[in-house]
Amino acid sequence: MSRTATNLNPFQAPSIASPGVQAKTSQLPPLFTDRHIYLASFLGTPLAGSLLMARNHQRCQDSQSAAITVVGGLVATAAIIAVTMMFGELLPPTSGIFIGIGYGMVMQSIAKRVFGKRLEIAPAVSHGNWKAAGVAGLCLLGIVAMLAVVLSVSQA
């Protein structure tokens, strides 16, 4: 059986999406993807990732889940800071990168579980990587300022 030029190319995307898919995507607001949440968490602690997840909850009109997500991110960040301050001297110098990868992957899997199919159907936020990096930088700035105040008060 030979293929002719009139047969459809199985490797070429269809030129027009089905009306059902267009209707679903036009109703959903743009969301931060799980990759954006991973990037923000890796660069700026779980607090940054939870802020992006909270923004997704707000865009889906679920403000109660948004508040719970931010509180969870604050608790996770405080726990990581406390553990690393207590046991930091026992850890190898390069362990920080692996800790960051670890909680970044945890936040990414939580985002996949919470938002599920919505992440696949909804359009991604434009310039999402830059926005994730900006949120991460602001979170780090706040955490460093808070730690500087705590350390200066404790040494006084």
Side-chain angles (χ1 to χ4, degrees):
M1 183 176 194
S2 67
R3 291 194 167 237
T4 63
T6 59
N7 286 347
L8 294 176
N9 184 352
F11 302 106
Q12 184 177 2
S15 59
I16 300 174
S18 66
V21 172
Q22 286 178 346
K24 287 180 184 176
T25 58
S26 65
Q27 294 172 355
L28 291 173
L31 299 176
F32 287 103
T33 65
D34 57 326
R35 292 178 181 173
H36 296 145
I37 293 167
Y38 172 82
L39 177 67
S41 299
F42 174 71
L43 294 177
T45 70
L47 177 60
S50 70
L51 289 174
L52 296 185
M53 287 177 62
R55 185 68 180 138
N56 281 355
H57 282 299
Q58 287 175 341
R59 288 181 176 166
C60 294
Q61 282 82 34
D62 190 5
S63 58
Q64 183 178 7
S65 294
I68 293 170
T69 302
V70 171
V71 170
L74 282 169
V75 169
T77 300
I80 289 170
I81 290 172
V83 168
T84 54
M85 287 182 78
M86 287 190 298
F87 301 112
E89 295 173 357
L90 302 175
L91 298 173
T94 58
S95 65
I97 189 81
F98 298 112
I99 293 170
I101 290 171
Y103 61 68
M105 291 174 70
V106 167
M107 291 295 289
Q108 183 179 22
S109 67
I110 290 171
K112 283 181 181 178
R113 182 167 292 159
V114 169
F115 297 108
K117 292 286 184 185
R118 284 185 276 183
L119 289 178
E120 296 173 10
I121 297 172
V125 172
S126 63
H127 307 295
N129 288 333
W130 288 106
K131 291 177 182 178
V135 168
L138 289 174
C139 285
L140 277 181
L141 254 157
I143 290 170
V144 166
M146 180 202 58
L147 287 175
V149 168
V150 167
L151 290 176
S152 66
V153 168
S154 67
Q155 290 179 356

